[in-house]
Amino acid sequence: MSDATTTGVASSPAANTRKRAKSTNGTATPTDKETQQKLHEQQKKQEQELPSAPPKTRSRKTPKYRHVEATHSLIRPSCLSHDSNVSPSFLGFRNLMVIVLVVGNVRLMIENIQKYGVLICLKCHDFRRDDVLVGLGLFCLIPLHLFVAYLIELAAARQAIRSRKRMAEGATGPSERDRRKFHNIWIVVAWTHMLNITLALVLTTYVVYFHVHHPFMGTMAETHALIVWLKTTSYAFTNRDLRHAYLHPVKGESVPELYKACPYPENITMGNITYFWWAPTLVYQPVYPRTEKIRWIYVGKRLGEVVCLSVFIWFASAQYAAPVLRNSLDKIASLDFFSILERLLKLSTISLVIWLAGFFAIFQSFLNALAEVTRFGDRFFYDDWWNSESLGSYWRTWNRPVYTYFKRHVYMPLIGRGWKPSTASFAVFFVSAVLHEVLVGVPTHNIIGVAFLGMFLQLPLIALTAPLEKMKMGNGGKMLGNAIFWVSFTIFGQPFAALMYFYAWQAKYGSVSRQPMPSGTK
């Protein structure tokens, strides 16, 4: 008797092939999967061709014996099984999660309105007249340091031109005297640049910390100062190398081909540095890839997104984040850790929403609008950081302008000097941690070290999550790394920092808003 007669189970061609393969070497061959996959595709095709119209409109002849069709004729795994050869789409689950998030947040909005009422008040923010005047003054004065750097480089370029002319009179290369002179000039230029960029940051920090009360105005001024500080440093380092290549070219090394459109010292002009001031990048180049024209409709759309998202962030901060932060003050004062954790979890949702809106407003909308106006071609401002498989991947992808700056001007020069990659990374994160503390602690008038530690402690987290990217367990390691990233990012990252700085501000100054909190709300 056959197997079908005794057991009632029909053997498929794929099963017969598998039996033959196992009888020869004990393992399944690649042909088994290919045959099974083809049969599976044929059955799916037959299922798609099932009649959906009345019998009279069908062209195919209906089989006589309709109840004997072999429904189970293939060996097939379940859709979500690891044995499945085809990865299912989770588009429906994504739509479900979006609906759940929307419904859940709408419920929280209704609950918030019922509990606190409408907290939006245009006249309640304590924007002092002095803060506005000082902020505008800083906005106009901070770029002057960039133009001081231009004057320094202009003097160095003229000296380089004179040295090049002396070398062209018959010398095959720079003399020892010229080399010493170049080194001495670079020392003077370097110290002058250092004094300039130090004043650019120190003076602004002093004014913001002692003379600008409102944290929003202080943050805008301090951010502008940091951007100009980073740009000025890049301008000095880049022109130093270009000047060296102009006077003492090294065999086998050359400047990028792109720079030939504006070679040194032709790039030392007022127009060139003015463009760099407005360009959406922190890294100086004499030439950038440029687009042909400005699409003003595109600019209008991006600026509209900036305005709408800014209003949303303001509304969400005042209506939802502020009550949670205020209600957390007594819990922090009494060190009620379980209540603090509950407030962190409650704050994490609105904090994440505000951060995502701010990210889109800045990196997608504002920077693209600025790039369109300046015809800046390279608009790779961020990568798909939301798919980060580790903390290191996140820091490499979410803020590309800052990442490329530190890689070009800090990390790679240290590696070139013989530093270990781990030591160079330590230096990069230390500098970044200091700048984060300056950017957050100075405008809030509370240098408490939370932003510094939050950034600097990323190094051990990066070391812990880096192996997950290389784990040989399919996508399991990457999924675990992505989950760790989101947990650390949404719960123990920004919400905790916001809570600490808000508590420090309230303990020192009280509320920045003149609107009283409704009594009896917890």
Side-chain angles (χ1 to χ4, degrees):
M1 282 188 179
S2 64
D3 293 340
T5 307
T6 57
T7 62
V9 179
S11 299
S12 66
N16 294 331
T17 306
R18 185 178 296 103
K19 289 179 181 178
R20 290 194 298 269
K22 288 185 176 180
S23 64
T24 56
N25 53 14
T27 57
T29 62
T31 310
D32 297 339
K33 291 186 177 181
E34 294 175 1
T35 306
Q36 185 176 342
Q37 182 69 18
K38 289 179 180 178
L39 291 174
H40 182 57
E41 292 176 356
Q42 290 176 3
Q43 183 166 354
K44 287 188 69 175
K45 187 176 181 180
Q46 291 175 1
E47 290 174 355
Q48 293 173 356
E49 292 176 354
L50 287 175
S52 58
K56 291 183 179 180
T57 61
R58 285 189 243 130
S59 60
R60 289 184 58 191
K61 184 179 179 180
T62 305
K64 178 67 175 177
Y65 304 106
R66 305 176 187 176
H67 301 287
V68 297
E69 180 184 358
T71 303
H72 305 290
S73 59
L74 295 174
I75 297 177
R76 294 178 296 177
S78 299
C79 183
L80 296 178
S81 174
H82 289 290
D83 298 329
S84 178
N85 296 322
V86 181
S87 299
S89 173
F90 293 98
L91 179 62
F93 279 115
R94 188 192 68 180
N95 294 337
L96 175 63
M97 286 187 288
V98 171
I99 293 173
V100 170
L101 284 174
V102 171
V103 172
N105 282 282
V106 169
R107 184 194 66 80
L108 291 176
M109 292 170 61
I110 296 174
E111 180 184 350
N112 180 275
I113 296 295
Q114 290 176 339
K115 192 173 184 179
Y116 301 112
V118 178
L119 300 179
I120 304 301
C121 179
L122 294 175
K123 298 180 180 180
C124 294
H125 287 275
D126 191 13
F127 285 109
R128 301 176 182 179
R129 183 172 179 270
D130 292 342
D131 288 351
V132 177
L133 293 177
V134 172
L136 292 175
L138 288 175
F139 182 81
C140 297
L141 293 175
I142 287 172
L144 293 180
H145 294 279
L146 197 57
F147 294 111
V148 170
Y150 158 71
L151 295 177
I152 297 171
E153 287 299 327
L154 182 63
R158 290 179 176 175
Q159 177 63 32
I161 293 173
R162 289 194 293 268
S163 299
R164 182 72 176 266
K165 288 181 178 179
R166 287 197 301 269
M167 284 171 25
E169 293 177 355
T172 57
S175 63
E176 188 63 29
R177 177 174 174 272
D178 290 332
R179 291 183 183 276
R180 287 198 304 268
K181 191 171 185 179
F182 174 82
H183 181 70
N184 294 334
I185 291 175
W186 164 240
I187 291 177
V188 174
V189 170
W191 278 103
T192 310
H193 275 305
M194 189 176 297
L195 178 63
N196 179 45
I197 63 176
T198 302
L199 288 175
L201 193 58
V202 170
L203 291 179
T204 304
T205 300
Y206 174 82
V207 173
V208 170
Y209 191 84
F210 290 103
H211 299 286
V212 179
H213 173 72
H214 201 283
F216 176 77
M217 298 297 298
T219 300
M220 292 296 100
E222 195 69 26
T223 301
H224 188 202
L226 275 176
I227 291 173
V228 170
W229 184 77
L230 293 172
K231 282 177 177 266
T232 306
T233 306
S234 180
Y235 187 74
F237 279 133
T238 304
N239 279 304
R240 189 267 179 191
D241 282 358
L242 291 175
R243 185 164 54 253
H244 190 281
Y246 175 74
L247 290 174
H248 317 298
V250 178
K251 186 177 181 180
E253 294 189 13
S254 60
V255 298
E257 190 73 19
L258 180 67
Y259 296 179
K260 291 185 178 180
C262 185
Y264 186 88
E266 296 177 13
N267 63 306
I268 309 299
T269 63
M270 197 72 168
N272 186 273
I273 197 170
T274 302
Y275 179 83
F276 176 52
W277 174 32
W278 286 101
T281 180
L282 300 174
V283 174
Y284 174 73
Q285 294 181 189
V287 182
Y288 297 96
R290 304 284 295 275
T291 56
E292 295 182 356
K293 61 179 181 179
I294 301 175
R295 299 170 294 174
W296 291 107
I297 296 179
Y298 178 88
V299 175
K301 290 180 179 179
R302 300 291 81 77
L303 293 180
E305 292 171 355
V306 172
V307 173
C308 293
L309 288 170
S310 299
V311 172
F312 170 78
I313 292 171
W314 168 65
F315 175 82
S317 301
Q319 185 68 39
Y320 301 103
V324 177
L325 290 169
R326 290 194 186 100
N327 293 337
S328 305
L329 296 176
D330 57 335
K331 311 299 181 185
I332 299 176
S334 61
L335 296 179
D336 187 349
F337 293 107
F338 285 103
S339 297
I340 293 174
L341 179 60
E342 184 270 335
R343 294 297 173 181
L344 279 176
L345 294 174
K346 191 173 183 179
L347 185 63
S348 63
T349 302
I350 189 62
S351 172
L352 178 63
V353 171
I354 292 174
W355 190 92
L356 290 176
F359 168 81
F360 194 92
I362 295 174
F363 287 90
Q364 174 60 28
S365 302
F366 176 74
L367 289 183
N368 271 287
L370 185 60
E372 189 67 27
V373 172
T374 57
R375 293 173 46 222
F376 190 82
D378 187 4
R379 304 179 186 185
F380 190 46
F381 302 124
Y382 59 92
D383 205 349
D384 57 341
W385 57 265
W386 47 89
N387 294 324
S388 297
E389 300 151 358
S390 66
L391 271 298
S393 176
Y394 166 72
W395 290 112
R396 291 191 299 268
T397 54
W398 93 272
N399 189 341
R400 295 287 303 179
V402 172
Y403 167 73
T404 53
Y405 179 91
F406 278 96
K407 181 181 178 181
R408 183 190 188 194
H409 294 304
V410 181
Y411 182 81
M412 294 307 297
L414 292 179
I415 294 295
R417 289 178 176 270
W419 287 41
K420 296 180 179 179
S422 58
T423 310
S425 298
F426 180 90
V428 168
F429 273 89
F430 180 81
V431 175
S432 181
V434 172
L435 295 181
H436 273 76
E437 184 64 34
V438 169
L439 187 59
V440 180
V442 171
T444 58
H445 310 284
N446 286 287
I447 303 178
I448 57 179
V450 174
F452 175 85
L453 290 176
M455 188 66 195
F456 195 64
L457 293 179
Q458 295 295 314
L459 281 173
L461 291 177
I462 290 173
L464 288 174
T465 56
L468 296 176
E469 298 182 64
K470 305 174 183 178
M471 288 180 66
K472 297 181 180 180
M473 48 181 296
N475 291 325
K478 297 179 179 180
M479 291 177 61
L480 180 60
N482 185 255
I484 294 174
F485 151 69
W486 278 115
V487 170
S488 63
F489 180 76
T490 58
I491 299 177
F492 301 106
Q494 298 178 42
F496 180 77
L499 205 58
M500 291 299 99
Y501 282 100
F502 185 83
Y503 177 78
W505 174 275
Q506 291 284 339
K508 193 172 184 179
Y509 297 106
S511 177
V512 74
S513 174
R514 293 194 294 262
Q515 183 179 13
M517 188 69 185
S519 60
T521 58
K522 292 292 182 184

